[in-house]
Amino acid sequence: MSRVRIAIPSEGEGGLDGVRAGHFGHCDVFTFVDLVNGEIDSVSTVENVSHVQGGCMVPVNLLASHNVDVLIVGGIGMRPLMGFRQVGIDVYHEGETREIRPVVNNMIAGNIPMIQENQVCGGGGGQ
């Protein structure tokens, strides 16, 4: 049985019918979508934590502690991208779609590419 946990930076309360946050480090919550054999099994959320203390690695450690396999972002800086790679979380880039459900469906269908280093942003600013 194949299990994958996807994390999506989200606004407000998040969830499958929620909307994505533009920059992962400043999202309200992360929506977790657990896939089993390529189908949605469960959906949950976890509040983001302030990363004043610990910088960019705080969300990396948060997601790693929740056994996330895949992160889908609209924007990310190089330092956190390297951090996610170090902990074994694959980062994918989708900068167009605001709604979470179609992003998950596109991920399941294999239509979202892994982020390339030339797609990272400076971080901190609105993406």
Side-chain angles (χ1 to χ4, degrees), residues 81-98:
L81 176 60
M82 291 298 131
F84 283 116
R85 288 180 176 169
Q86 285 174 357
V87 298
I89 296 174
D90 292 332
V91 181
Y92 289 77
H93 181 260
E94 206 287 3
E96 302 298 315
T97 311
R98 293 276 295 149

Side-chain angles (χ1 to χ4, degrees), residues 66-113:
H66 284 276
N67 302 312
V68 168
D69 302 297
V70 169
L71 172 66
I72 304 173
V73 297
I76 192 170
M78 183 59 79
R79 283 185 54 214
L81 176 60
M82 291 298 131
F84 283 116
R85 288 180 176 169
Q86 285 174 357
V87 298
I89 296 174
D90 292 332
V91 181
Y92 289 77
H93 181 260
E94 206 287 3
E96 302 298 315
T97 311
R98 293 276 295 149
E99 298 79 20
I100 291 172
R101 186 181 298 269
V103 169
V104 172
N105 291 334
N106 283 333
M107 186 70 202
I108 292 169
N111 295 331
I112 298 180

Side-chain angles (χ1 to χ4, degrees), residues 23-26 30 48-62 76-84 122-124:
H23 194 281
F24 93 97
H26 301 284
F30 288 97
N48 192 8
V49 291
S50 168
H51 59 282
V52 174
Q53 296 292 320
C56 298
M57 290 304 290
V58 172
V60 172
N61 294 331
L62 174 69
I76 192 170
M78 183 59 79
R79 283 185 54 214
L81 176 60
M82 291 298 131
F84 283 116

